[in-house]
Amino acid sequence: MPHIRPITDLRNTIEISELCHSTGEPIFITKNGYGDMVLMSNETYERELAAAEIYRKLLTAQRQIDNGEGLDGEEVLKKLREKHKYV
């Protein structure tokens, strides 16, 4: 369940910081009842960036496959084995 807090709760920085770190989830901050910003720990931010990068790479790979740009996996492995004399 998302953590939603009013902007006035930012006055208690220790509590907000502890919540960010203990849950490992973003905290949604509202202003006048509307979404205003999202806070998260460095660890959560880095995890989210890494996941987004993986999804971008998967999307690129899927587009390459759809466009017939990919290489046959068996053929690539065969060439690598031949190149490195691996049986």
Side-chain angles (χ1 to χ4, degrees):
M1 184 165 170
H3 294 277
I4 302 171
R5 296 292 187 91
I7 200 164
T8 55
D9 281 6
L10 293 180
R11 292 180 185 143
N12 190 346
T13 56
I14 294 173
E15 179 186 341
I16 293 294
S17 176
E18 288 174 355
L19 184 60
C20 280
H21 291 283
S22 67
T23 64
E25 297 294 327
I27 299 173
F28 298 90
I29 304 297
T30 60
K31 183 177 179 182
N32 298 323
Y34 295 97
D36 186 48
M37 58 183 142
V38 178
L39 299 175
M40 61 183 79
S41 68
N42 284 337
E43 295 84 9
T44 301
Y45 178 71
E46 290 173 3
R47 184 184 72 226
E48 294 297 322
L49 279 180
E53 180 65 20
I54 289 170
Y55 287 125
R56 273 193 294 277
K57 288 179 179 182
L58 287 171
L59 180 60
T60 299
Q62 186 61 53
R63 286 180 179 159
Q64 289 173 341
I65 291 168
D66 293 344
N67 293 331
E69 299 171 13
L71 301 173
D72 179 60
E74 291 296 325
E75 186 63 31
V76 170
L77 289 175
K78 180 181 173 185
K79 288 180 181 180
L80 284 172
R81 287 184 183 112
E82 290 171 358
K83 178 180 178 181
H84 298 285
K85 309 292 188 241
Y86 182 77
V87 179

